[in-house]
Amino acid sequence: MSVYNFNSGPSILPQPVLEEASRAILDFNGTGLSILEIGHRTPMFQDVLQEAISSVKKLMELDDSYEVLFLHGGATTQFMQVPMNLLDADETAAYCDNGIWGKKASKEASLFGNVNVVADTSDRNHTYIQKQFTVPADAKYLHITTNNTVEGTEWHQYPDISVPLIGDMSSDIFSRPVDFKKFSLVYAGAQKNMGAAGVNLVVVKKDVLGKIKRPIPTIMNYQKHIEAGSLMNTPPVFAVYTSMLTLRWILAEGGLAEMEKRTIAKSDLLYSTIDSLPVFEARVAKEDRSQMNAVFFLANPELETPFLDLCKKEGMVGVKGYRTVGGVRVSMYNALPISSVQVFCDLMKDFAFRKG
Ligand SMILES: *Cc1c(COP(=O)(O)O)cnc(C)c1O
């Protein structure tokens, strides 16, 4: 039976990336060594890391005022590492609480300084993005989650503010061209749209660093990682390698403009199908819908289990909604072919025909 991978993360990767990575496990570039066996300070891995860094800079169109780091840990580590590096105990940072990940980020920040939650969409179950809010002029930065993986909302236009903007882009990075220069720091766990779990991409504008009094443990210190070229200690070699292959694939396919075309085609197909079938109900405000993670419900909650059972039977993997949200979640990351979305939509229509 065919399997259709709609997992929210770790999630689907491009087939050529998986094939190349499996070859490299046995014999990396004809060296007779596995990628798992090479030293991280060898020229072989230097080439991998340098290609990964230059691919990120190319895709983001950033100049040398930014540094690209590949660091250990998932995005959750960045919830702590961002305020540890940027926020002193007597300072305030602004956070948008648009969902579970943003809330976790602000909670971690409150361990290091003052947190001002300037936007909070919990009044409507995080089914929209609040765009009108005030950021105090003395805030050290504003933190947003660019795509709310769990709730299915996405910022389609970033706020214009006078303080540094920080984005958790874990689940929509490289899905479309965006103005990365608007951000002073972006981070993303690799396992949603960029590679294997275990590595974080952190892109930081150097001018925000070095401005706090707190001593920072070396392994948590962005400046020290910059000085060490992401090689302060052993990086997650295989995860960096997988990210490099995925970045190479994105560039070869036509870059972010091409990713956006596919993203729009897939999400338009899915949302128009949901909207056309009264059996299903999307609660997220239309203008704020995520193009990566579509979250929706069965209008009759009693049909949820039968629908999810049918999905399972037909090989649709990872479509059950997040445990605190329920319903259905369909993730459409870069590597997901539109044919998978088509098969899913056909299944929805078939279900609606029989149960509607
Ligand atoms: C998945 C996710 C996280 C958590 O990532 P980990 O790598 O598991 O720490 C954080 N933020 C967003 C937006 C996510 O989608």
Side-chain angles (χ1 to χ4, degrees):
M1 184 181 72
S2 303
V3 168
Y4 305 90
N5 185 355
F6 300 100
N7 275 328
S8 57
S11 41
I12 187 166
L13 288 172
Q15 193 62 27
V17 168
L18 297 179
E19 284 164 12
E20 180 91 25
S22 20
R23 279 195 294 275
I25 294 244
L26 295 174
D27 181 3
F28 175 59
N29 284 354
T31 55
L33 296 169
S34 167
I35 180 77
L36 304 178
E37 298 174 323
I38 62 167
H40 58 289
R41 296 188 195 280
T42 58
M44 291 176 280
F45 184 68
Q46 278 294 339
D47 288 350
V48 170
L49 187 57
Q50 284 319 311
E51 182 176 341
I53 291 170
S54 64
S55 301
V56 168
K57 278 203 158 169
K58 196 184 272 179
L59 288 169
M60 291 189 168
E61 298 178 13
L62 296 177
D63 62 24
D64 290 337
S65 59
Y66 287 85
E67 291 282 346
V68 176
L69 299 171
F70 283 89
L71 304 181
H72 283 277
T76 306
T77 311
Q78 294 309 309
F79 294 168
M80 161 215 15
Q81 199 164 354
V82 165
M84 187 185 271
N85 279 265
L86 303 184
L87 182 66
D88 255 329
D90 55 356
E91 295 176 322
T92 298
Y95 276 75
C96 286
D97 178 0
N98 288 329
I100 181 172
W101 294 121
K103 189 171 199 67
K104 285 183 196 234
S106 69
K107 182 161 169 264
E108 295 300 289
S110 68
L111 300 173
F112 296 93
N114 303 313
V115 167
N116 183 344
V117 176
V118 292
D120 178 349
T121 50
S122 55
D123 59 336
R124 280 192 268 145
N125 278 332
H126 301 303
T127 52
Y128 67 105
I129 298 283
Q130 183 181 338
K131 287 143 214 133
Q132 299 299 326
F133 53 84
T134 309
V135 180
D138 65 343
K140 205 66 191 294
Y141 60 81
L142 170 70
H143 179 284
I144 65 170
T145 313
T146 57
N147 181 71
N148 291 289
T149 328
V150 168
E151 296 82 3
T153 60
E154 187 172 13
W155 289 80
H156 294 294
Q157 214 172 347
Y158 300 128
D160 282 307
I161 46 162
S162 57
V163 307
L165 180 61
I166 295 185
D168 174 0
M169 291 197 172
S170 293
S171 52
D172 68 346
I173 191 136
F174 300 139
S175 63
R176 57 186 171 143
V178 302
D179 187 2
F180 290 101
K181 289 179 211 70
K182 271 200 156 182
F183 291 86
S184 292
L185 190 150
V186 301
Y187 61 90
Q191 72 273 17
K192 308 259 163 66
N193 217 9
M194 204 179 69
V199 71
N200 252 324
L201 170 66
V202 177
V203 180
V204 57
K205 195 167 186 193
K206 281 176 277 191
D207 67 3
V208 294
L209 299 177
K211 295 191 170 161
I212 60 162
K213 306 182 283 277
R214 169 186 307 110
I216 306 168
T218 314
I219 191 69
M220 287 292 129
N221 191 321
Y222 293 133
Q223 187 60 44
K224 299 282 186 209
H225 280 288
I226 291 171
E227 287 160 20
S230 288
L231 288 172
M232 179 190 295
N233 68 330
T234 318
V237 168
F238 186 66
V240 174
Y241 176 68
T242 317
S243 290
M244 182 279 279
L245 291 178
T246 309
L247 293 162
R248 184 189 279 175
W249 176 84
I250 294 172
L251 283 163
E253 293 290 302
L256 300 188
E258 176 62 25
M259 294 302 118
E260 179 174 48
K261 259 195 229 164
R262 299 178 190 182
T263 294
I264 290 173
K266 287 182 281 184
S267 57
D268 278 359
L269 173 60
L270 181 65
Y271 284 118
S272 65
T273 306
I274 296 169
D275 292 341
S276 73
L277 301 171
V279 173
F280 298 98
E281 179 183 281
R283 297 177 188 161
V284 168
K286 268 192 185 167
E287 60 176 23
D288 301 325
R289 285 173 169 178
S290 166
Q291 294 179 315
M292 291 282 103
N293 315 95
V295 173
F296 56 100
F297 299 84
L298 279 294
N300 173 0
E302 283 175 15
L303 290 181
E304 184 173 309
T305 303
F307 180 68
L308 290 174
D309 286 347
L310 177 68
C311 289
K312 199 169 181 181
K313 187 168 142 268
E314 297 296 324
M316 312 287 152
V317 176
V319 297
K320 191 172 161 52
Y322 191 80
R323 59 186 186 278
T324 56
V325 175
V328 185
R329 172 171 56 173
V330 174
S331 298
M332 299 169 281
Y333 297 116
N334 284 343
L336 184 80
I338 192 164
S339 55
S340 293
V341 180
Q342 187 62 61
V343 173
F344 188 81
C345 289
D346 291 344
L347 186 75
M348 289 170 77
K349 284 185 210 156
D350 184 53
F351 183 83
F353 180 73
R354 286 186 288 110
K355 304 281 184 183

